[in-house]
Amino acid sequence: MADSQTGTKSAGDSRPMDIPEPKFNWMNQSRQWGTRVTPDKKGLTLDKTNVGIYGEVPQRWGDQGRNPRGAIPVKGALPIGYSVTQKTELWADCAAELYEEAIQRRWAPATDVPWSSIQPLPNDVEVAICQVCTEILQYANIDIEVLTNWQHRMSYGYHEVKQFLATASLDAARRYEAFRKRALINGGGLGLEPTGQANRFLLESRGGWTETVAGLALIRTLFVATVCEYLYKHSYNDAERVVYSFVIQDLARLLTYGVEHLKFSLAHDDERRGSVITMIAIGLGMFARDLRDPVLREALAIVFGGGISGARNEGMSIYYDLIEDFRERHLAMRRWLDLPADAATMPRAFRPRDQN
Amino acid sequence: MTSSKTNGNLPDLDLGWMDQHGPWDTHAEPGKYGFTLADIQIGEYGQVPEESNNQTGRPRGSKPRANSMRLGGYTVRTKSDIWLENASFLYEEALQRQWSSATDVPWESIKPLPDDVEQAQCQMATFLTEVEFVAGDVPARWISSTTPDYFEARQVLLAQVMDESRHMDVFRKRALANGGGLMRATGATAGFVGGIDLSRDFTEMSSRLHISGEGAVLTIFRMGELMAYNDAEKTIYRLCAQDEARHVAFGVMHLRYMSQNEPDRREEIHSYLDEAEGSMLTDAANPAGRLTQTSESLCILLGGGSDKFDEGFRKLVAIRRRQLQEYRKRVISAGFGDRFDNGRSRLNELMAQAAA
């Protein structure tokens, strides 16, 4: 009963309805049909979908819309305004794998942490732990702001990276939440606002994502991960141990992405080497200024030393071990990235104790 | 608490920071749902300022440093601009209900489908892969512009970014799992005036994204049983609907807060709703709208094949009407129901046009 005038027909049921004549002009349009990806023992993971043209990740993604990689693009769509459009600016081969790992290892501070294991602590230790929590949750806040400030600028063609960064920003949200909860549960509260030189460096690093990653991964994330490892070794209850171990896992993924991205970027864009080296130098300088402030150092020393009395010797000694571990890991990553890695060029705050 | 002793070459302790902290003697306690964000909204830590002058990014309730730099550059610093009363609940629920598209979807239940049905599934999956992450990109941008004094709202948005990331990947996986492939993108979220990407005010963005955009998609997901051909697809639609319902709830609760606390902005909000209603059935971002690619795909899926297009179209019309009814309920719940009584809303007109 097609109506030749309107291209519609009556449905012929009790309620008259003009049913449009279908065009089906979208059918049989695919750049690659016949694709059949299958799950394996890890399920149907994101990297499994990278088959045929769907796995071809171009060096430059010029599309300014949300055209899924491998789909037929729309011509004439108004641009959204992505600015990170080169593969060398964000790619890491491991992004899809890290994305799935992050989802498998998800946790909830509300229910996965045995909060009841926290018992009253000596006042000096509680003050110190609360100060450390305040510092780490402030760092998490900066991670959130840095990641979300870049995420929306990244082209759709590199969806694996955008998706991994979505997990990384939720990880940071969880850090923010977990350390705030720890500070408020045991008779303490939040401490003194941290200093912000390194924060400033990360937030103001707007010239390039790769340069931001250099600071975020090789300095901030590596430092917080190292701090959490030491806190884990010197924790006072199961709740803290569980929080630190989850956070270490989360940060390890961000660190892996960062290092792998830098490796990829430096291998494919040699001109970036200079700016990455400069960013690391500036970042370390600003971070060293933060470390000159006694608050975090002393708070950690009190936690490690079991109180103020233990902080003066044992606690402070452990703190310097931590700084040395950070330095050695940082330098090892720089060597792996084929970047200059001479400890003597680092700010004094990171040099071996006998050289200070 | 100042140490005057030195320890060899170890620095003296200052300890002056130990007396500088936020409200002390805080004993937040876990409740029956674990230790939730709501449980730590106690005392001064639970007091959310109407206006935030926190430009350093310090955690709410921590002791400010007088010499801190203003790093934040936050543009969202008024509570009513972003706040909602149930943010803690939505965030905790989001963490509890995270799921994995790799392992929580029974992919093995997908069996070969008639070619027209597979093409329709793949076209819908292409569309959803394309549009879902607009709700990741855009909230991310706003998170980085919002003061951490309103961190509860930011946490919900961070969880949303993660949810949308999963939606983007689960539909990509579906398109590539059954002998099909990605088809033609629509450009539905291109950078046009009035689009979600270009909103310059958070509430404007939220009304477009959460109330009309995601609201329309939520209705589709809820009707997923009608267009699913196997347990994998049913699972996908059910899990996505769960996520989407939280996002829509964010928008409704935010508008309600805005309505109650900023009556001067009610007319402005009504104008966003006018705009939303004007394009509700024609907007390409509504898969049940009039865009041929998506509406015809839905008709095939709902009817059971291209030869049952008419039956599918009748169901599509029922879905459109349900979208409009659900939109009405949301707007009433948000406190803007007067538009349906005073003749401002075009909803009745749209109901009549739903079959066109």
Side-chain angles (χ1 to χ4, degrees):
Chain A
M1 290 195 292
D3 181 333
S4 58
Q5 297 271 304
T6 62
T8 62
K9 57 189 174 180
S10 168
D13 63 5
S14 56
R15 283 195 309 171
M17 183 185 289
D18 287 337
I19 296 181
E21 201 63 43
K23 299 185 179 113
F24 294 144
N25 54 355
W26 50 272
M27 295 188 93
N28 303 311
Q29 294 192 45
S30 174
R31 290 179 59 210
Q32 182 176 301
W33 198 247
T35 307
R36 194 183 300 278
V37 296
T38 51
D40 64 12
K41 62 180 180 179
K42 291 183 180 172
L44 186 54
T45 52
L46 188 58
D47 55 324
K48 290 279 181 315
T49 62
N50 281 342
V51 294
I53 63 160
Y54 302 111
E56 290 173 8
V57 184
Q59 294 305 318
R60 182 171 181 279
W61 185 263
D63 189 293
Q64 279 288 333
R66 294 193 170 87
N67 177 35
R69 197 172 71 220
I72 299 172
V74 183
K75 288 180 183 162
L78 294 171
I80 292 168
Y82 293 114
S83 59
V84 182
T85 59
Q86 308 278 341
K87 189 176 180 184
T88 56
E89 294 177 315
L90 78 169
W91 189 253
D93 286 336
C94 59
E97 201 177 326
L98 292 172
Y99 168 73
E100 297 286 5
E101 184 182 308
I103 291 174
Q104 292 302 327
R105 296 197 173 190
R106 61 193 181 270
W107 58 288
T111 51
D112 291 332
V113 176
W115 294 105
S116 59
S117 70
I118 297 181
Q119 300 298 322
L121 291 168
N123 189 57
D124 54 352
V125 175
E126 184 64 26
V127 171
I129 288 176
C130 288
Q131 182 60 43
V132 171
C133 287
T134 306
E135 303 259 354
I136 295 179
L137 86 89
Q138 166 84 334
Y139 292 163
N141 179 62
I142 300 302
D143 290 353
I144 288 168
E145 291 177 12
V146 169
L147 290 168
T148 56
N149 186 46
W150 279 98
Q151 221 167 349
H152 66 94
R153 306 187 205 180
M154 296 173 174
S155 288
Y156 230 53
Y158 310 115
H159 60 258
E160 291 93 337
V161 174
K162 287 172 80 81
Q163 290 177 272
F164 167 67
L165 293 179
T167 71
S169 47
L170 186 60
D171 289 347
R174 257 190 326 239
R175 278 199 293 288
Y176 193 88
E177 170 202 353
F179 284 98
R180 189 175 180 90
K181 285 176 175 174
R182 169 59 192 90
L184 301 184
I185 197 174
N186 201 29
L190 291 175
L192 181 64
E193 169 182 15
T195 54
Q197 293 291 336
N199 296 340
R200 187 181 180 201
F201 153 73
L202 292 169
L203 286 168
E204 293 181 359
S205 165
R206 296 195 173 190
W209 172 242
T210 302
E211 287 80 359
T212 304
V213 166
L216 189 64
L218 298 188
I219 300 175
R220 170 55 60 77
T221 304
L222 178 60
F223 179 70
V224 178
T226 309
V227 167
C228 286
E229 282 178 37
Y230 274 74
L231 287 170
Y232 179 87
K233 287 183 210 161
H234 299 90
S235 50
Y236 288 81
N237 47 62
D238 285 345
E240 289 170 5
R241 272 186 284 279
V242 168
V243 168
Y244 300 143
S245 60
F246 277 130
V247 167
I248 290 165
Q249 267 183 19
D250 291 352
L251 291 172
R253 287 192 298 274
L254 185 54
L255 196 52
T256 303
Y257 163 76
V259 173
E260 290 290 327
H261 166 57
L262 289 169
K263 188 81 173 170
F264 181 88
S265 184
L266 294 172
H268 293 84
D269 183 3
D270 199 49
E271 289 184 10
R272 272 222 132 73
R273 186 168 300 275
S275 61
V276 166
I277 291 169
T278 304
M279 285 297 285
I280 292 171
I282 293 171
L284 284 174
M286 297 204 133
F287 183 37
R289 270 194 246 172
D290 282 346
L291 291 181
R292 279 208 292 273
D293 183 86
V295 180
L296 179 61
R297 180 176 65 231
E298 293 184 1
L300 286 169
I302 292 170
V303 174
F304 299 153
I308 292 174
S309 57
R312 295 203 170 95
N313 287 304
E314 186 190 354
M316 201 54 83
S317 177
I318 294 169
Y319 169 80
Y320 284 114
D321 289 345
L322 183 161
I323 294 295
E324 287 183 7
D325 264 358
F326 165 77
R327 182 192 66 227
E328 291 309 310
R329 292 173 191 186
H330 173 84
L331 290 172
M333 287 176 183
R334 277 164 55 166
R335 279 191 287 275
W336 192 72
L337 292 167
D338 201 20
L339 296 171
D342 180 359
T345 63
M346 291 178 78
R348 277 188 60 192
F350 305 107
R351 288 185 207 154
R353 263 171 277 197
D354 54 6
Q355 292 178 24
N356 262 307
Chain B
M1 280 191 273
T2 301
S3 167
S4 58
K5 294 178 185 171
T6 55
N7 298 287
N9 57 359
L10 293 172
D12 195 7
L13 299 183
D14 176 278
L15 303 182
W17 55 271
M18 295 189 80
D19 298 321
Q20 298 188 60
H21 45 68
W24 205 245
D25 202 23
T26 310
H27 291 272
E29 289 180 17
K32 64 179 178 178
Y33 298 114
F35 192 30
T36 65
L37 276 190
D39 296 323
I40 58 170
Q41 284 175 321
I42 56 171
E44 289 181 45
Y45 292 107
Q47 290 172 11
V48 183
E50 295 300 323
E51 298 286 336
S52 168
N53 63 1
N54 177 359
Q55 284 286 22
T56 65
R58 71 176 177 276
R60 193 177 73 213
S62 62
K63 176 85 173 174
R65 280 186 193 244
N67 62 348
S68 284
M69 295 177 180
R70 294 189 160 215
L71 319 171
Y74 306 114
T75 54
V76 180
R77 292 192 287 146
T78 303
K79 186 179 178 187
S80 60
D81 281 350
I82 194 164
W83 195 250
L84 64 162
E85 291 295 356
N86 65 340
S88 302
F89 174 80
L90 290 177
Y91 171 69
E92 296 288 359
E93 184 181 295
L95 285 200
Q96 293 299 328
R97 295 196 173 189
Q98 291 292 300
W99 51 282
S100 162
S101 66
T103 54
D104 292 335
V105 174
W107 293 107
E108 67 286 351
S109 71
I110 296 183
K111 303 294 180 202
L113 291 168
D115 188 60
D116 54 346
V117 174
E118 182 61 27
Q119 287 204 45
Q121 286 285 14
C122 287
Q123 181 58 62
M124 275 303 292
T126 304
F127 168 80
L128 291 166
T129 299
E130 177 187 355
V131 302
E132 279 297 291
F133 209 65
V134 65
D137 273 348
V138 177
R141 179 162 64 82
W142 285 97
I143 290 163
S144 63
S145 305
T146 301
T147 169
D149 281 354
Y150 307 137
F151 73 88
E152 291 91 341
R154 293 198 335 182
Q155 300 282 99
V156 186
L157 294 173
L158 284 159
Q160 179 179 355
V161 175
M162 181 62 233
D163 293 343
E164 304 299 355
S165 173
R166 207 168 36 226
H167 296 181
M168 179 161 75
D169 96 66
V170 78
F171 289 108
R172 185 178 184 86
K173 286 173 179 173
R174 170 58 193 90
L176 303 182
N178 199 29
L182 289 170
M183 297 183 70
R184 183 177 283 281
T186 64
T189 63
F192 49 82
V193 175
I196 293 164
D197 284 275
L198 305 185
S199 306
R200 293 174 67 83
D201 174 82
F202 182 84
T203 303
E204 177 189 11
M205 182 282 290
S206 177
S207 67
R208 287 175 186 167
L209 176 69
H210 297 124
I211 303 289
S212 53
E214 292 196 274
V217 173
L218 173 59
T219 308
I220 302 285
F221 286 161
R222 280 183 175 153
M223 306 292 271
E225 287 276 330
L226 296 178
M227 52 192 196
Y229 285 75
N230 45 60
D231 285 344
E233 288 161 9
K234 285 178 190 170
T235 304
I236 291 168
Y237 289 126
R238 181 173 52 78
L239 292 171
C240 286
Q242 228 175 56
D243 295 343
E244 213 79 349
R246 282 194 305 276
H247 311 159
V248 172
F250 181 105
V252 170
M253 294 303 287
H254 169 57
L255 273 196
R256 185 185 295 177
Y257 188 87
M258 173 65 88
S259 165
Q260 291 167 347
N261 292 276
E262 294 280 349
D264 290 350
R265 289 192 65 183
R266 283 183 56 82
E267 272 304 300
E268 172 204 338
I269 306 299
H270 272 302
S271 69
Y272 301 140
L273 297 174
D274 292 342
E275 195 175 58
E277 289 176 16
S279 58
M280 206 160 273
L281 292 179
T282 53
D283 191 348
N286 177 5
R290 298 215 176 89
L291 184 71
T292 309
Q293 272 161 276
T294 46
S295 62
E296 290 188 359
S297 301
L298 275 175
C299 289
I300 291 173
L301 295 175
L302 292 165
S306 53
D307 56 335
K308 300 187 181 96
F309 182 88
D310 293 4
E311 191 181 331
F313 184 78
R314 284 191 201 92
K315 289 181 181 170
L316 177 74
V317 170
I319 287 177
R320 283 177 181 166
R321 290 186 172 135
R322 185 166 166 174
Q323 284 180 328
L324 297 170
Q325 286 159 357
E326 290 184 351
Y327 163 80
R328 184 174 190 276
K329 283 182 191 165
R330 277 178 215 120
V331 171
I332 291 171
S333 175
F336 292 86
D338 52 320
R339 62 189 288 109
F340 303 115
D341 301 325
N342 63 19
R344 179 166 187 163
S345 171
R346 292 182 55 205
L347 214 59
N348 288 337
E349 186 188 331
L350 293 172
M351 279 289 186
Q353 292 172 2

